[in-house]
């Protein structure tokens, strides 16, 4: 059993096809826990094969291990990091209120970082005047502006002009509203990183893709396109 006085969250993270779910679900079962997914694709409904939800793996010895933040958004909706952090802590507190133990499982780095590092996430309104001022800048110029305002955590913030402008918009809002404080629950995580040989992982990904194509992944995509 996990020492709940020392830890209040178990985190199982790793790359695609590393066996995260196969490890996290039995662990959750053993410690009376529930899974909180950290996967930016599995939040979407009807994307079962393509995102590898494998929900049958959430049954251990005939019992369902509860899971959260899977199948919570419609295809086409732009679910974001702010919403993930908010929804994670809602699930986290709900699980603890019921005397269960939360187990975060996934591989979406920005989701995991936003939670574990306690990023200040605020729903920032759009700023049309700032956007108009920035739209003529090149991507390199926008990246320079953003890097002068904050340390860049990853390149996804500046991989397109649209994202770079939005990132500057958010940082500008933060700097002009220093009084805003975000209260987050204290986390005491035990983190398990799953490592797998690269070649073995490639083989697993290939096998998984072939299996999902046979199971109807192309048809699943066609159905989704009809919905959006």
């Amino acid at each position: 059993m996990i020492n709940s006085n020392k830890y209040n969250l178990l985190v199982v993270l790793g790359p695609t096809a590393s066996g995260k779910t196969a490890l996290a679900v039995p662990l959750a079962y053993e410690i009376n826990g529930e899974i909180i997914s950290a996967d930016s694709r599995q939040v979407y409904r009807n994307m079962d094969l393509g995102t590898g939800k494998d929900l049958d793996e959430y049954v251990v010895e005939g019992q369902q291990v509860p899971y959260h933040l899977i199948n919570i958004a419609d295809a086409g909706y732009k679910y974001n990091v702010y919403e993930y952090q908010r929804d994670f802590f809602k699930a986290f507190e709900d699980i603890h209120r019921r005397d269960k133990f939360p187990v975060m499982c996934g591989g979406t780095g920005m989701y995991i970082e936003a939670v574990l590092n306690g990023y200040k996430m605020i729903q920032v309104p759009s700023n049309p005047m700032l956007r108009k001022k920035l739209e003529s800048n090149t991507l390199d110029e926008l990246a320079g502006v953003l890097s002068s305002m904050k340390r860049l955590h990853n390149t996804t913030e500046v991989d397109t002009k649209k994202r770079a402008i939005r990132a500057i918009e958010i940082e500008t809002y933060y700097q002009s509203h220093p009084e805003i404080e975000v209260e987050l629950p204290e986390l005491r995580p035990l983190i398990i990183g799953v490592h797998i040989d690269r070649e073995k992982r490639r083989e697993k990904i290939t096998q998984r893709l072939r299996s999902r194509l046979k199971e109807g992944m192309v048809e699943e995509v066609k159905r989704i396109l009809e919905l959006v």
Side-chain angles (χ1 to χ4, degrees):
M1 294 293 289
I2 195 167
N3 185 344
S4 58
N5 292 321
K6 186 175 182 181
Y7 304 108
N8 64 358
L9 174 67
L10 176 61
V11 181
V12 179
L13 53 83
T16 299
S18 59
K20 298 182 296 294
T21 304
L23 173 62
V25 172
L27 283 174
Y29 176 78
E30 290 295 331
I31 63 175
N32 193 28
E34 299 185 5
I35 300 291
I36 306 178
S37 173
D39 189 301
S40 63
R41 297 296 175 262
Q42 293 187 7
V43 297
Y44 293 106
R45 302 182 188 96
N46 302 311
M47 296 185 184
D48 302 330
L49 293 171
T51 63
K53 289 174 185 170
D54 299 326
L55 297 181
D56 57 319
E57 292 188 18
Y58 289 79
V59 178
V60 180
E61 296 185 4
Q63 294 190 41
Q64 176 75 51
V65 174
Y67 55 83
H68 303 261
L69 307 193
I70 295 177
N71 293 333
I72 61 170
D74 291 327
Y77 178 76
K78 295 182 179 180
Y79 189 80
N80 57 46
V81 180
Y82 162 79
E83 292 171 302
Y84 178 79
Q85 187 193 61
R86 176 199 65 196
D87 293 343
F88 172 89
F89 281 112
K90 283 182 181 178
F92 174 85
E93 293 185 315
D94 172 62
I95 292 168
H96 274 292
R97 273 195 299 269
R98 292 182 285 104
D99 293 323
K100 305 288 186 179
F101 201 91
V103 179
M104 173 190 263
C105 175
T108 299
M110 197 63 184
Y111 281 9
I112 296 169
E113 288 180 16
V115 168
L116 297 185
N117 294 334
Y119 290 168
K120 182 173 71 172
M121 307 295 290
I122 302 167
Q123 196 160 19
V124 177
S126 62
N127 185 335
M129 290 182 64
L130 178 61
R131 290 185 179 188
K132 187 172 182 61
K133 178 182 176 182
L134 295 172
E135 65 184 11
S136 61
N137 289 33
T138 66
L139 183 57
D140 285 342
E141 289 171 339
L142 293 170
V145 172
L146 185 59
S147 63
S148 71
M149 303 174 77
K150 58 175 281 189
R151 183 171 67 86
L152 300 184
H153 294 290
N154 56 63
T155 58
T156 59
E157 292 180 296
V158 290
D159 61 356
T160 67
K161 284 187 62 173
K162 183 178 180 180
R163 285 189 174 185
I165 289 173
R166 178 56 179 164
I168 293 169
E169 186 176 57
I170 290 171
E171 194 59 30
T172 300
Y173 185 86
Y174 286 169
Q175 293 184 3
S176 62
H177 294 78
E179 74 283 358
I180 295 176
E181 291 293 333
V182 179
E183 293 290 334
L184 298 174
E186 178 191 6
L187 294 182
R188 302 187 305 278
L190 173 61
I191 302 173
I192 299 174
V194 182
H195 174 74
I196 183 173
D197 175 76
R198 180 176 294 182
E199 288 305 316
K200 187 174 182 180
R201 190 165 74 92
R202 284 178 177 171
E203 290 176 12
K204 288 183 67 176
I205 290 172
T206 300
Q207 292 170 1
R208 180 183 287 185
L209 176 59
R210 287 173 177 167
S211 174
R212 289 174 184 169
L213 287 171
K214 288 180 181 178
E215 292 172 15
M217 190 170 75
V218 173
E219 289 72 23
E220 178 180 84
V221 173
K222 290 179 179 178
R223 288 194 298 271
I224 293 168
L225 290 174
E226 291 174 357
L227 294 173
V228 297

